[in-house]
Amino acid sequence: RFSLLLLNLEEYYFEQHTANHIINKGSRDERKFRGSLKICSKSIIFEPDDNIQPIIKIPLRDCISIKAPEDNEANNPFTRDTSGGISVVCNQVFLIKERNIIAPYKTVRGRAEHLFQLDVAGKLGDVVQTLHQLYRASCLDKMGDQAAMITAILQSRLARTSFDKNRFQSISETLHMECKAEMVTPLVTNPGHVCVTDANLYFQPLNGYPKPVVQITLQNVRRIYKRRHGLMPLGLEVFCTENDLCSDIYLKFYNYEDRDELYFLIATYIENHVTEHTAESYMLQWQRGHISNYQYLLHLNNLADRSCNDLSQYPVFPWIVADYSSSVLDLTKPETFRDLSKPIGALNKERLDRLLTRYQEMPEPKFMYGSHYSSPGYVLFYLVRVAPEYMLCLQNGKFDHADRTFNSLAETWKNCLDGATDFKELIPEFYENDSSFLVNNLKLDLGKRQGGKMVEDVELPPWASGPDDFLQKSREALESQYVSEHLHEWIDIIFGCKQRGSEAVAAHNVFHPLTYEGGVDLNSIMDPNEKVALLTQILEFGQTPKQLFTIPHPRRIIPKLKSLSRTSSHSVSITESPVSPNEESFEDLTEESITLAWNNIAKLKLDEQYKIHKEAITGIAVTCNGSSVFTTSQDSTLKMFSKESKTIQRSVSFSNMALSSCLILPGDTTVISSSWDNHIYFYSIAFGRQQDILMGHDDAVSKICWHDGRLYSASWDSTVKVWHCVPGETLSNKKHHFELLAELEHDVSVNTINLNAANTILASGTKEGTISVWDVTTATVLHQTEWLNMLFCCCFFCLLFFFFYTDSRHLLSAGEDCCFKVIDVQTGMLISSVTADEPQRCFRWDGNTILSGGQSGELLIWDLLGGKVTERIKGHTGAVMSMWMNEQCNSVITGGEDKQIVFWKLQY
C-alpha cells in the first residue's frame, strides 16, 4: 500500500525497518501491529502488514520528541522483550488508506506518543541519529535552509554507497560509467546510483524501492531525450518503444556533465540501430501523411521536453471540438471545431478585451494570462478518477472541492471559454483508447455538489453514447480534414513562432515570463530560500514547452480531389478540370506504374554503358520516343546517341569551351545547350545544324530550364534570367526572337536552378550554398536559406492526386556538405536533413525515396524519412554528374566523370 506518493513534494524516502507499532503500552488495551517503518526526509511513515489498519504518517515538523528510552529510566514503557524501541511524541498524525480505501487523509490532532520496536535492535542508534538530523532540518524556519540540509544528508548517504556490481546481468559486462542520479516519476524523485555498461543501463535506488534495480537493455532503446527538469537541463528520458506516450526511465542528474556523458554513451551505442528524429523530420512525415495528427503532436511534445513523468511539463494537446450540445457530431461543419489559430484565452472576445485592458495597464514584465494552459493541477483535474493518489499528494491529502472537480465536458469547455482564470488545454488521454479516466471505477468519494449530486462519472456530450464512443469520436475529430488543414496554426502558438516575442503579443499568447525556458537562471540566484520559493511557484504554475520552430509551421498537404495516390517528382501536364472516365483510368494506371517503379527502385540494374565523350558528361536529354539521347560534356561537344543502333549519330562543337547542360524543346525539333563561353546554343535536330545563339550572360551559363516559350538561364555572373523565346521559321534563315522578361539578382555565382511542376516557383542555388525561392510571376524572392556549402543540384517535389492535380510544396537540395536538405517552399523552413558520406552530384526523388549519384560513381537509394541508405548500386568509375529518368520512372540514364553514359532498367 505504501508508495512514494505518500511523501510530500520534494521529499525523499531513505530507508525502511521491520518493526512493531505498539499502542497503549502497559494498559489493558495494549495492541501491537507488525509492519514497516519508513524513514523519510520530512516524515516518519508506518505501514502495517494488516491492510485493515491505516498507514500512519507523522510529519517531523509536528514532533515534540524522538528518543530511544534507556533501560534504567523509571518510566521506561519497554520491557526486556521490547529492546530496539523508539518513542515519538507528536502533535499531529495522518491516517491513510484505512481499510485499504483511497480517500482523503484523516487528521488526528493532539499530543500522542507512538512507540516503534525495531526487529533489529542494533540499528536503533543509527535510526534515532538519522531522525534527529531530519528533525532539526524540519525545524528550520526557511524552506531554503531546510532543503539545503536535507540535500547534504542525502549526498552524504549517496557518497557512502555505490552501485552493487553483483546486479549486472552478466559477469562479462564492461563498466563504462557510474554516477549519482534520481529516478523521476510524477510528483516524485527517488535518489540512487546509475550505472552504464556495454550492454545495459542500470538504476539502483538508495532505498531499494520499488525494486532493488531497474535494468534497461541498450539494444532495446529506441529514443533518448535530454530534458529540462526543475528549470535546469539535468534530465534524461529513455524510451524502448517508438510511439508510446510513457518512457521506460526518466533520470535527473546532479550536474550537467554526468547527464551529457550518459547521453553520449547511450546515443553512441544506439546510433547504428536507431535513426535520430528531429522536429523537422517528423514534420516531413506528418506533411506526407505517414504519421497521424496524434502521433505528430506526441513527437512534438517529446521534443519540447514534455513528459508523462513530469506533471509540470505534461504533454499538451488541443481542444478540438467546440460542440458539446448536439446529438450528432458533424465533422464536416467548421463550426463544430474550435478556432485553432487562437490560444484558449483569446477564443472569447469579451474576456480577451478585459484581459488586454489589464495587460496594457500592467507594469513590466507584462503577461496576459494569470494561469497557464498546462500545469500539474490541470493534469490531475482530468485524471483524478484514475490517479487519485497523485491528487492527494499534490493537495496535501485532500481532493478538490466537488464543484471544481472534472464533472462534465460541456461545463469544462464553457469554463475554459468564459472563466476569468481558466485557460487549460487538454491532455493526450482524450485522444487515446483508454476511457477509464472518464469513469469512477474505483468508487472514489469525490464529494457532493451544491445541488446534492454525488461526483461520479464524467458527464459526456449528447453525441457520445459512452466513454469509448466519446474517445473514438474525439480521435476522428483530431484526424479530420478540418483539423489537418489548421493544426499548424495551433502548433505555431504552442511550439512555434507565435510562442514568444512580438508574434506572441499579436496572437494574444503571452504568459508569465517565468514559465518560458530561459525565463529565469536558477544558478544566478544566491539566496536558497528565494530559489526554493521560485522553483516551487513555477513547478506548480506550469511551464511553456521548449520552442521548436521560429518561422511559421507549414500546412499539412491535404488531397483536394479524390485521394492521395502517390508522390512523384516527374513532370506531368496539369489540369484542374474533370477528365473523362477513360482518361482518368489511363492516368490512374500511369500513377500506379510510377508507384510500382519507386517501390521497386532498389531493383534498378545496369543495362548498357558506352564511353561517348572525352571529358565528364554534364547533361542528358532524351526525345519523347526514347530513341535518341543527347548529351553535353566538358569536352565542349553535344552528341546524339541512338539507342537502337547503339552508335553516335551526331557530334557538334559550338565553341572550344565546356557545355554545362542541355534540354529538348517540345516537339523534339530543337536541342538547347548552355556553355561556359557565356552563350546558349539552339541546335535543329531536323536540319542538323546550329539554329541560333543567345548571348545573354557575362560569365559561364551553368543551367537552363524551359517552359511554355520561356527560357530560364542561370549563370556564374550571379544572375538568373527569364527569356521569352519566339522561334524562327524552320525553313528560313529567320532567327529566334529573345525578349528579356526578368533578371533575378544574386550575390555570387549561380550553380543550379529548377522549376516546380506548376512553373510558378523557381529555386536557385549558388556556389556559396544559398538557396533562393522565387515567385516567377512577380520575379520576387520568397525565401532565402544559407547552407554555406556549394549547391550541386536542387529539385522540386510535387504531390500528385488523382486528376494529376499538383501542389508543389517541398524542395530537395544537395551540396558540397554531403547533405540532402528538404525545404518547405511556402515557409522556407528546413524540414529534413540527411547526411551522406560523400557529395551527391545529381538525384531524382518521389518525396519519400531518393535515387542519387555519388562522388564515387555509385547510385544510392535513400529512405528520406528514415534518413538512411537502403541500397548501393555499382555504376561509374568516377563521380555521377548527371541523371535522366523517364516519366514512368522505370528507366534511368546517368552520365559520369568517367565519360560514359549508363542505361539502367528496373527488373521486377
Side-chain angles (χ1 to χ4, degrees):
R1 291 186 298 160
F2 171 79
S3 85
L4 297 179
L5 293 170
L6 300 184
L7 279 59
N8 294 349
L9 295 177
E10 302 299 317
E11 183 177 6
Y12 296 109
Y13 165 37
F14 285 144
E15 60 191 54
Q16 72 164 349
H17 303 275
T18 305
N20 292 316
H21 181 207
I22 302 174
I23 299 176
N24 300 324
K25 174 64 181 173
S27 71
R28 184 175 299 177
D29 298 327
E30 177 181 326
R31 287 185 296 169
K32 183 186 294 186
F33 297 102
R34 188 161 182 76
S36 175
L37 184 67
K38 321 283 186 180
I39 309 301
C40 307
S41 60
K42 297 180 182 180
S43 62
I44 303 169
I45 296 176
F46 181 77
E47 178 190 16
D49 292 343
D50 184 356
N51 286 346
I52 299 298
Q53 298 300 317
I55 294 173
I56 298 172
K57 179 178 180 179
I58 306 173
L60 288 171
R61 68 174 183 272
D62 293 325
C63 289
I64 299 171
S65 69
I66 302 172
K67 61 183 180 178
E70 299 295 336
D71 288 342
N72 58 2
E73 287 184 356
N75 58 348
N76 179 17
F78 293 93
T79 59
R80 297 179 67 88
D81 64 335
T82 58
S83 59
I86 301 173
S87 168
V88 179
V89 180
C90 60
N91 288 322
Q92 177 176 258
V93 298
F94 296 107
L95 305 182
I96 305 169
K97 289 188 178 179
E98 189 170 7
R99 299 186 179 277
N100 209 24
I101 295 172
I102 299 173
Y105 303 169
K106 291 182 179 179
T107 306
V108 179
R109 294 183 175 88
R111 182 185 177 99
E113 182 179 24
H114 295 267
L115 303 175
F116 300 101
Q117 180 186 19
L118 303 185
D119 272 13
V120 182
K123 293 185 177 180
L124 180 64
D126 290 339
V127 172
V128 172
Q129 183 180 5
T130 298
L131 288 174
H132 283 169
Q133 284 182 313
L134 296 171
Y135 173 69
R136 286 196 297 272
S138 68
C139 291
L140 295 173
D141 292 335
K142 296 181 178 180
M143 294 296 295
D145 295 336
Q146 288 185 28
M149 186 170 177
I150 291 172
T151 299
I153 295 170
L154 170 63
Q155 291 301 321
S156 174
R157 283 174 163 260
L158 287 170
R160 295 196 305 268
T161 58
S162 62
F163 185 87
D164 181 4
K165 308 302 188 298
N166 292 320
R167 295 288 182 177
F168 282 178
Q169 291 290 301
S170 168
I171 59 173
S172 63
E173 286 186 64
T174 303
L175 175 66
H176 287 325
M177 177 190 177
E178 181 181 349
C179 66
K180 298 175 289 186
E182 296 176 11
M183 188 169 73
V184 179
T185 52
L187 301 180
V188 171
T189 60
N190 199 11
H193 295 275
V194 170
C195 191
V196 184
T197 70
D198 55 350
N200 294 288
L201 166 67
Y202 298 96
F203 176 77
Q204 185 172 31
L206 185 65
N207 51 35
Y209 181 88
K211 54 184 179 180
V213 170
V214 177
Q215 177 252 330
I216 292 176
T217 304
L218 294 182
Q219 194 171 3
N220 294 336
V221 174
R222 290 294 170 267
R223 292 176 289 148
I224 179 170
Y225 297 99
K226 292 181 179 180
R227 293 291 189 219
R228 174 179 49 129
H229 185 272
L231 303 183
M232 302 284 281
L234 297 173
L236 189 73
E237 192 161 22
V238 179
F239 292 78
C240 292
T241 55
E242 187 57 44
N243 294 308
D244 280 3
L245 182 63
C246 296
S247 65
D248 290 80
I249 193 169
Y250 186 139
L251 296 170
K252 172 198 170 186
F253 296 81
Y254 295 113
N255 58 68
Y256 315 124
E257 294 79 13
D258 286 346
R259 193 277 302 268
D260 290 346
E261 183 180 352
L262 186 68
Y263 178 88
F264 174 78
L265 288 171
I266 298 178
T268 302
Y269 180 89
I270 68 175
E271 66 181 354
N272 296 324
H273 307 283
V274 182
T275 301
E276 182 178 359
H277 288 291
T278 62
E280 290 76 19
S281 66
Y282 284 126
M283 180 201 301
L284 184 61
Q285 295 183 57
W286 173 72
Q287 279 194 291
R288 303 280 172 77
H290 291 275
I291 59 176
S292 65
N293 292 338
Y294 171 83
Q295 289 172 316
Y296 185 45
L297 289 177
L298 204 59
H299 289 311
L300 292 185
N301 272 284
N302 262 323
L303 292 168
D305 277 347
R306 314 302 285 189
S307 168
C308 291
N309 285 308
D310 185 351
L311 295 188
S312 68
Q313 298 188 93
Y314 201 79
V316 55
F317 269 60
W319 283 95
I320 294 295
V321 175
D323 178 4
Y324 293 94
S325 58
S326 299
S327 58
V328 176
L329 185 65
D330 189 347
L331 298 181
T332 64
K333 294 163 55 178
E335 53 268 30
T336 297
F337 299 93
R338 164 259 184 104
D339 184 349
L340 289 165
S341 68
K342 298 177 181 178
I344 289 292
L347 293 177
N348 182 328
K349 188 177 183 307
E350 290 183 9
R351 178 178 65 175
L352 179 63
D353 288 342
R354 294 194 298 271
L355 292 169
L356 290 178
T357 300
R358 188 190 68 173
Y359 175 75
Q360 298 299 333
E361 298 171 350
M362 186 181 294
E364 295 291 345
K366 295 184 174 184
F367 53 92
M368 295 178 184
Y369 307 112
S371 64
H372 205 258
Y373 50 77
S374 176
S375 70
Y378 288 160
V379 173
L380 296 178
F381 168 84
Y382 292 125
L383 298 180
V384 63
R385 290 169 176 81
V386 291
E389 291 180 272
Y390 291 89
M391 178 66 85
L392 294 173
C393 176
L394 184 69
Q395 299 202 148
N396 299 315
K398 300 176 183 177
F399 290 131
D400 205 348
H401 190 280
D403 286 304
R404 291 195 297 268
T405 301
F406 182 30
N407 291 298
S408 157
L409 263 303
E411 284 182 13
T412 303
W413 171 244
K414 185 178 185 302
N415 202 52
C416 288
L417 288 180
D418 302 335
T421 60
D422 193 348
F423 313 107
K424 59 179 171 285
E425 291 279 7
L426 295 183
I427 55 176
E429 283 79 357
F430 280 84
Y431 304 102
E432 294 177 349
N433 296 313
D434 186 357
S435 62
S436 58
F437 74 100
L438 299 170
V439 184
N440 188 13
N441 287 324
L442 297 176
K443 304 303 179 185
L444 302 170
D445 182 359
L446 296 173
K448 187 180 293 185
R449 304 188 66 182
Q450 284 186 352
K453 185 178 179 182
M454 294 295 295
V455 175
E456 291 294 344
D457 299 346
V458 177
E459 185 180 329
L460 303 174
W463 46 258
S465 61
D468 291 339
D469 185 56
F470 170 77
L471 292 190
Q472 172 66 27
K473 287 185 168 67
S474 295
R475 288 194 299 273
E476 291 171 2
L478 178 62
E479 305 301 335
S480 67
Q481 179 162 328
Y482 177 89
V483 174
S484 294
E485 290 174 347
H486 294 277
L487 188 58
H488 65 284
E489 298 172 335
W490 186 82
I491 292 171
D492 280 340
I493 291 169
I494 304 299
F495 303 105
C497 63
K498 295 181 181 179
Q499 187 199 87
R500 297 179 177 221
S502 58
E503 291 274 4
V505 176
H508 306 129
N509 191 39
V510 183
F511 294 86
H512 195 286
L514 295 180
T515 68
Y516 296 92
E517 184 179 27
V520 60
D521 181 7
L522 287 180
N523 289 326
S524 67
I525 301 175
M526 295 297 103
D527 184 346
N529 301 296
E530 181 184 349
K531 183 180 292 188
V532 169
L534 186 63
L535 184 58
T536 302
Q537 176 188 347
I538 296 306
L539 294 182
E540 292 181 358
F541 187 88
Q543 298 175 64
T544 301
K546 178 191 294 184
Q547 188 175 23
L548 300 178
F549 310 106
T550 56
I551 59 178
H553 191 286
R555 297 178 54 155
R556 195 174 198 185
I557 302 170
I558 306 296
K560 301 295 184 187
L561 307 167
K562 281 196 175 179
S563 61
L564 178 64
S565 61
R566 178 65 178 171
T567 54
S568 178
S569 61
H570 68 286
S571 299
V572 294
S573 56
I574 302 166
T575 174
E576 295 187 25
S577 58
V579 295
S580 68
N582 288 336
E583 288 175 317
E584 182 180 340
S585 174
F586 172 75
E587 290 174 345
D588 286 353
L589 289 173
T590 303
E591 191 65 11
E592 287 177 9
S593 68
I594 293 168
T595 301
L596 182 63
W598 276 104
N599 286 343
N600 291 276
I601 200 71
K603 298 178 181 177
L604 203 64
K605 302 296 181 184
L606 193 154
D607 186 32
E608 299 171 310
Q609 60 189 80
Y610 303 95
K611 186 174 181 180
I612 62 174
H613 281 280
K614 297 179 180 179
E615 297 292 341
I617 295 170
T618 57
I620 303 172
V622 182
T623 55
C624 288
N625 60 13
S627 61
S628 298
V629 179
F630 288 85
T631 57
T632 52
S633 169
Q634 291 180 4
D635 65 9
S636 79
T637 62
L638 168 72
K639 293 186 185 289
M640 175 179 166
F641 181 85
S642 171
K643 282 193 69 177
E644 294 177 2
S645 64
K646 299 178 175 41
T647 59
I648 298 173
Q649 294 189 330
R650 295 181 193 175
S651 180
V652 184
S653 183
F654 301 113
S655 72
N656 61 355
M657 297 195 71
L659 299 179
S660 56
S661 66
C662 62
L663 58 84
I664 301 176
L665 295 186
D668 288 350
T669 59
T670 303
V671 179
I672 308 178
S673 301
S674 56
S675 173
W676 285 7
D677 68 1
N678 311 352
H679 298 160
I680 300 169
Y681 295 95
F682 291 71
Y683 175 80
S684 171
I685 298 174
F687 291 92
R689 57 180 170 83
Q690 179 179 311
Q691 189 175 349
D692 214 332
I693 183 171
L694 172 59
M695 296 177 283
H697 287 277
D698 298 324
D699 205 337
V701 183
S702 53
K703 184 74 182 294
I704 52 176
C705 296
W706 175 277
H707 174 71
D708 195 22
R710 291 190 177 185
L711 176 67
Y712 302 81
S713 59
S715 170
W716 294 356
D717 67 6
S718 307
T719 67
V720 174
K721 293 183 178 180
V722 185
W723 310 86
H724 179 55
C725 300
V726 180
E729 294 179 16
T730 305
L731 298 177
S732 72
N733 290 324
K734 289 186 177 180
K735 303 289 186 180
H736 285 71
H737 173 68
F738 301 106
E739 177 187 356
L740 181 61
L741 299 179
E743 186 170 332
L744 312 180
E745 295 283 352
H746 297 69
D747 294 331
V748 293
S749 302
V750 183
N751 281 2
T752 184
I753 55 172
N754 209 306
L755 283 166
N756 70 337
N759 298 287
T760 55
I761 298 174
L762 178 138
S764 58
T766 70
K767 74 171 186 178
E768 290 186 351
T770 300
I771 292 181
S772 301
V773 179
W774 302 83
D775 183 338
V776 172
T777 58
T778 61
T780 56
V781 67
L782 300 175
H783 307 289
Q784 268 194 342
T785 309
E786 294 186 7
W787 302 133
L788 305 179
N789 281 280
M790 182 185 297
L791 264 294
F792 294 139
C793 188
C794 60
C795 181
F796 277 92
F797 158 70
C798 306
L799 272 179
L800 298 185
F801 307 95
F802 290 131
F803 301 156
F804 281 65
Y805 173 79
T806 62
D807 177 19
S808 299
R809 292 293 300 272
H810 295 147
L811 174 72
L812 178 66
S813 66
E816 203 171 40
D817 62 354
C818 304
C819 284
F820 283 114
K821 293 186 171 72
V822 181
I823 300 169
D824 182 83
V825 173
Q826 288 189 348
T827 64
M829 179 183 286
L830 173 68
I831 60 175
S832 184
S833 180
V834 179
T835 303
D837 52 12
E838 64 177 12
Q840 303 298 300
R841 307 295 300 238
C842 53
F843 61 81
R844 291 292 183 272
W845 73 316
D846 75 332
N848 305 312
T849 304
I850 305 172
L851 173 66
S852 68
Q855 189 75 26
S856 64
E858 291 180 316
L859 292 190
L860 277 67
I861 298 168
W862 298 77
D863 172 9
L864 182 60
L865 300 179
K868 60 185 178 182
V869 175
T870 58
E871 194 75 30
R872 293 176 180 267
I873 307 172
K874 296 289 185 181
H876 295 268
T877 56
V880 185
M881 303 291 290
S882 56
M883 181 182 294
W884 172 89
M885 177 182 278
N886 68 342
E887 186 174 330
Q888 289 73 35
C889 305
N890 57 16
S891 179
V892 175
I893 304 174
T894 55
E897 204 171 37
D898 58 3
K899 310 158 194 176
Q900 295 190 99
I901 56 170
V902 177
F903 293 84
W904 307 81
K905 279 190 175 180
L906 276 182
Q907 297 183 1
Y908 298 114

